[in-house]
Amino acid sequence: MKYLNIALVSLVALFAANAHADVTLLNVSYDPTRELYQEVNAAFARHWQATAREKVSIRASHGGSGRQARSVIDGLEADVVTLALAYDIDEIADRARLLPTDWQKRLPNNSSPYTSTIVFLVRKGNPKGVRDWDDLIKPGVSVITPNPKTSGGARWNYLAAWGYALRKYGNDEGRARNFVTALFHNVPVLDSGARGATTTFVERGQGDVLLAWENEAFLALKEFGSGKFEIVVPSVSILAEPPVAIVDRVVDKRGTRKVAQAYLDYLYSDEGQDIAGRNFYRPRSQKAAAKYAKQFPKLNLFTIEEVFGGWTKAQKTHFADGGVFDHIYQPGK
Amino acid sequence: MESQTLYRTGLTGEAIASELLALPATKATRSRATPTSETRVVQRVLIGAALAYFALLVLTPLIVVFYQALRKGLEFYMIALSDSDTLSAIRLTLIVAAVAVPLNLVFGVAAAWSISKFDFRGKSVLVSLIDLPFAVSPVIAGLIYVLIFGLQGWLGPWLAAHDIKVIFALPGLLLATIFVTVPFVARGLIPLMEAQGKAEEEAALVLGASGWQTFWRVTLPNIKWGIIYGVILCNARAMGEFGAVSVVSGHIRGATNTMPLQVEILYNEYNYVAAFAVASLLALLALVTLAVKTAVEWRSAQGAPQ
């Protein structure tokens, strides 16, 4: 009887019209933020109902950061973009002129309401004894990371390794390049997005180390239990700042600027910061940062500005067609 | 009796092969089935090997899909399927198939009719065009529509100015699905209608029937099983297509995800039961398709004057 009821309700819902909402927003985001924005969207809808007396329904689209940016450039009508790195939003501003090029100055903290970093996920007991970046270039250690061409997380992974090597070899670019080349020799497969790489490592059991967003590594522990995996924190890593922005041309056309702005502001609010911390993103606000301080390991973080002179430069040197990555990664070798 | 059984086996075997190759079985190859001279042992070993192969490659994954979907019990299965985003994906898939299949039915019959019953200039070009979607990777098909209708594409700025959405919305999904399913009805009918020849139609015309009468009373009854066969395959592909729709979908939850895309999303969210539950619906569709297809083949073989 119970099954029949569920089946009947489903059938009705299948053919009934969508639930009515006064306003809809589309948030085009990157791979590992699914769980984060599920929670944010529900909380913001309650908040907006209470403050503006308007029913808002937020739709979400997730995928590799670069690919998502490409979709927005090709006309996917995102009211807000919440991507893995600033360069992908720069591309939307440059190629499609959907928002001004100085978009990153419009919100506090470089428009990044939360930060993260790159850590290692290894199998229980750390059988290959991975402690730091140096262990990743040892022969016989298989490293899983997604493709830097399509995945934002993968670009952070790559730059974190490069930054470590620069520090280790006294800013010798040639030796840093050799280090990253050796690392990618140990990469058997490149998935297109961070979540795909996590699935490859966790579910299909490939590789000894997963280079992952800190939040993605914590989520894998939560989903699969800490009995199967361990997080290894390297001595040095990169401060990843995933930025958010309003897409001006879209919100002005759809008349959603006010609610889109409120949505992004909500990410900086106490509730928004608390949700970020709960989903293993490092919150910016002192209050939430203090509350979740215990869950995040302390490590040396460098920024992309310090080491690479910003995203545009890093992208051009390393990830553009014919860039360094194209030279060092030769599949099958 | 013996030879009839062998003939039936030959037919089904070829039907499977033809489906795998996406090429229709023709009369010429059908008549090749003759009694074999191998001993019983050889026959059994060959049949056994073939069965084991298919069990391993086809049956096992199918069982795994249903096992994973029902692993946590029927209640979880039903709850997984009644999620609003999943229901919306099912609804979208049904809408896409409901538009794409009838369009391809009309186009396929019209194309097959003109190609097999008439001679005209450019006929071979038309045949090649119908085959094109089989030759082109579905991802390319999707990208073509992005290049045409995307904001940076040929028609994109005009469409945006008039607030018409094509890609990342229902029209784009329809276009991509229609593109990849174009050949199914036509490609199945052309050899059948060519083999039947024009004699019956010519007789009807000589006896004073109009063009429409000839079509409704002579051509259509001859090809009805071929049409049903094509529609079933066309429908299965329309509902199961992943590559082309993935490119034009935009992956908006509850809005532009079809069932295959929803399976990928659920899987990536560690929601394995739900992913396999949706996958099991697609697998059920495949099984129903197979059953109807076999019934149609059996029925058409019965009806075929041999």
Side-chain angles (χ1 to χ4, degrees), chain A residues 2-3 6-7 10 13-16 18 26 34-35 38 59-62 67-68 70-77 95-96 98 195-196 198-199 202-204 216 219-220 223-224 249 253, chain B residues 73-76 78-79 81-82 86-88 90-91 94 146 149-153 159-161 163 165 167-168 246-247 249-255 257 264-270 272:
Chain A
K2 191 163 32 167
Y3 304 137
I6 299 177
S10 310
L14 187 59
F15 294 102
N18 278 330
L26 175 60
R34 300 158 196 261
E35 292 75 13
Q38 231 163 30
R59 298 215 147 123
S61 167
H62 297 273
R67 178 174 144 199
Q68 293 291 80
R70 184 71 240 184
S71 292
V72 174
I73 291 168
D74 283 329
L76 181 58
E77 285 199 330
R95 287 176 190 253
L98 297 179
R195 188 51 64 85
T198 309
T199 314
V202 167
E203 185 66 6
R204 297 191 205 122
E216 185 78 353
L219 184 69
E223 292 286 338
F224 292 94
R249 286 259 297 273
K253 184 174 148 194
Chain B
L74 195 60
E75 197 176 339
F76 268 94
M78 296 305 295
I79 289 170
L81 288 181
S82 52
T86 300
L87 285 177
S88 136
I90 297 172
R91 183 168 45 221
L94 292 177
V146 172
F149 299 108
L151 194 54
Q152 315 302 316
L159 290 170
D163 207 16
K165 279 196 227 172
I167 56 165
F168 308 125
S246 172
V247 177
S249 139
H251 305 278
I252 307 168
R253 288 142 170 278
N257 281 321
E264 191 201 25
I265 284 182
L266 292 169
Y267 182 77
N268 277 341
E269 282 172 4
Y270 306 117
Y272 300 117

Side-chain angles (χ1 to χ4, degrees), chain B residues 100-226:
Chain B
V101 174
L103 280 176
N104 277 329
L105 170 66
V106 172
F107 167 78
V109 172
W113 193 53
S114 34
I115 284 167
S116 57
K117 307 286 174 182
F118 300 95
D119 290 313
F120 54 92
R121 287 179 68 145
K123 190 164 146 175
S124 58
V125 177
L126 182 58
V127 176
S128 314
L129 277 179
I130 292 173
D131 276 341
L132 191 69
F134 276 153
V136 173
S137 158
V139 177
I140 309 293
L143 280 176
I144 292 166
Y145 289 118
V146 172
L147 287 178
I148 298 173
F149 299 108
L151 194 54
Q152 315 302 316
W154 293 345
L155 298 175
W158 186 86
L159 290 170
H162 292 79
D163 207 16
I164 303 167
K165 279 196 227 172
V166 178
I167 56 165
F168 308 125
L170 183 61
L173 294 169
L174 288 174
L175 279 173
T177 308
I178 291 169
F179 181 90
V180 293
T181 53
V182 150
F184 283 92
V185 176
R187 222 50 196 100
L189 286 181
I190 291 169
L192 178 70
M193 292 171 86
E194 275 178 345
Q196 285 170 354
K198 309 174 192 172
E200 288 184 29
E201 278 84 358
E202 281 166 358
L205 288 172
V206 168
L207 291 170
S210 71
W212 269 119
Q213 282 174 324
T214 315
F215 177 74
W216 284 111
R217 301 217 179 141
V218 179
T219 311
L220 202 59
N222 275 337
I223 59 169
K224 63 180 178 211
W225 294 113

Side-chain angles (χ1 to χ4, degrees), chain B residues 25-104:
Chain B
T26 63
K27 288 249 157 155
T29 51
R30 257 182 217 183
S31 60
R32 222 192 289 141
T34 49
T36 54
S37 54
E38 276 86 12
T39 61
R40 223 156 247 266
V41 179
V42 175
Q43 283 183 18
R44 289 209 175 137
V45 167
L46 284 175
I47 292 170
L51 280 178
Y53 183 74
F54 275 103
L56 192 71
L57 281 176
V58 181
L59 208 59
T60 320
L62 205 61
I63 292 168
V64 168
V65 166
F66 284 101
Y67 169 76
Q68 291 280 1
L70 294 167
R71 202 176 47 174
K72 289 192 184 164
L74 195 60
E75 197 176 339
F76 268 94
Y77 181 81
M78 296 305 295
I79 289 170
L81 288 181
S82 52
D83 171 70
S84 72
D85 286 352
T86 300
L87 285 177
S88 136
I90 297 172
R91 183 168 45 221
L92 185 62
T93 301
L94 292 177
I95 292 172
V96 166
V99 177
V101 174
L103 280 176
N104 277 329

